[in-house]
Amino acid sequence: MQIDSSPSREIGVFDSGVGGFTVLRELRTLLPSARLRYLADTAYAPYGNRSPDEIRARSIAISEHLIERGAELIVVACNTATAHAIEALRERWPALPFVGTEPGIKPAVAATRNGRIGLLATPSTAASARLRALIERHIGDRQVVVQVVVQGCAGVVDRIEAGDLGSAELQALVDRYCEPLRAAGVDTALLGCTHYPFIEPLWQAALGPEVELLRIETAVARRALSLWTPTEGDIPALDIETSGDPVALQRWIGRVLGWQDTAVQAWQPQSKTASSC
Ligand code: DGL
């Protein structure tokens, strides 16, 4: 792996913390020649408990930094930031492509056999107008009546950030959040937060083997691939930065992703908007 701090053409990726690594993993596979920069806003995680204004301010400050470092494409690898900030980002930088991450309502509507879909997301995504609009847009796609049970899951991201991917306490929390989905008899469930695939077996155990779990990160990476033209001068590299503790993040990456010796740099925003939140 190559770490180089000189500005050059790159793809910027961000999330509140480690969740976006599920997307980054796919990007590395699909775009092996691209220079990638990942920013984990760990000091402000979880975004799911924060106000839309705070999430927007953080997303703007992070994007400013990524653009300054040479981003020509930004992947918002976070459903919560997409729900509250992607419109503001596109308005501010109209010439720059932003790829958002949103629960795959459309594929879920196509996949469900009984018309009942569950959606597990952060409290903030679950309450967002953008998610409501997305559901409205797609529930009529088929002749079956579709019901979407949306469940906000406070506390799950905090545990994943802390490195808990399988404790009995976390399974109990997951079981509790899956209960309304079970009661509604969903046959399809969406993981509407990029952190959640790290504990996919726990969701599956809580929902039962007959429920199909749908993830979104491959589709997000494919969308980025469709917007990125590799050039001869591209130098593959991965830079990782965090607003939290770089040593702790490096340890997490080594343990969970198996990316040993991946350097992590500290980052703090310059912008007044972000530091005031
Ligand atoms: N991983 C993010 C998402 O997809 C954010 C989770 C959080 O920070 O609450 O929503």
Side-chain angles (χ1 to χ4, degrees), residues 1-13:
M1 193 167 309
Q2 221 169 317
I3 308 288
D4 175 356
S5 58
S6 62
S8 65
R9 178 179 184 264
E10 57 187 41
I11 300 175
V13 184

Side-chain angles (χ1 to χ4, degrees), residues 2-214:
Q2 221 169 317
I3 308 288
D4 175 356
S5 58
S6 62
S8 65
R9 178 179 184 264
E10 57 187 41
I11 300 175
V13 184
F14 77 91
D15 177 52
S16 63
V18 298
F21 285 128
T22 55
V23 176
L24 185 72
R25 259 195 314 214
E26 299 290 321
L27 281 170
R28 292 186 86 190
T29 307
L30 292 179
L31 285 163
S33 68
R35 179 173 190 119
L36 300 162
R37 178 176 303 274
Y38 184 92
L39 201 140
D41 197 11
T42 321
Y44 282 79
Y47 278 2
N49 302 343
R50 294 193 175 271
S51 73
D53 282 349
E54 279 180 307
I55 296 165
R56 256 189 306 278
R58 296 300 298 177
S59 300
I60 288 171
I62 291 166
S63 299
E64 268 169 3
H65 168 67
L66 294 174
I67 293 165
E68 210 170 273
R69 298 299 306 175
E72 292 187 7
L73 170 69
I74 292 184
V75 179
V76 183
C78 173
N79 292 260
T80 313
T82 302
H84 297 294
I86 198 141
E87 278 169 31
L89 297 175
R90 287 179 174 147
E91 228 167 74
R92 204 171 171 114
W93 291 285
L96 191 81
F98 284 90
V99 176
T101 304
E102 292 189 289
I105 303 290
K106 189 177 176 171
V109 169
T112 180
R113 285 147 286 136
N114 69 6
R116 291 193 286 268
I117 296 166
L119 168 53
L120 300 150
T122 67
S124 182
T125 300
S128 69
R130 194 174 166 99
L131 177 65
R132 262 196 312 280
L134 183 69
I135 293 172
E136 285 304 313
R137 202 156 59 241
H138 293 295
I139 51 172
D141 284 359
R142 277 183 49 198
Q143 299 301 67
V144 288
V145 177
V146 173
Q147 179 201 0
V148 183
V149 180
V150 180
Q151 179 63 49
C153 307
V156 173
V157 163
D158 314 56
R159 284 184 173 270
I160 296 170
E161 284 290 322
D164 175 3
L165 303 182
S167 70
E169 292 78 19
L170 182 54
Q171 181 71 68
L173 195 60
V174 162
D175 287 348
R176 180 150 67 79
Y177 289 134
C178 288
E179 178 48 38
L181 278 66
R182 274 201 307 270
V186 308
D187 69 1
T188 307
L190 289 161
L191 297 182
C193 167
T194 51
H195 282 73
Y196 296 173
F198 284 122
I199 56 160
E200 184 166 346
L202 276 60
W203 300 112
Q204 194 74 67
L207 290 166
E210 65 291 344
V211 174
E212 188 182 1
L213 272 185
L214 300 183

Side-chain angles (χ1 to χ4, degrees), residues 230-248:
T231 63
E232 263 183 29
D234 288 344
I235 304 164
L238 173 62
D239 291 288
I240 301 179
E241 296 171 304
T242 177
S243 58
D245 176 0
V247 176

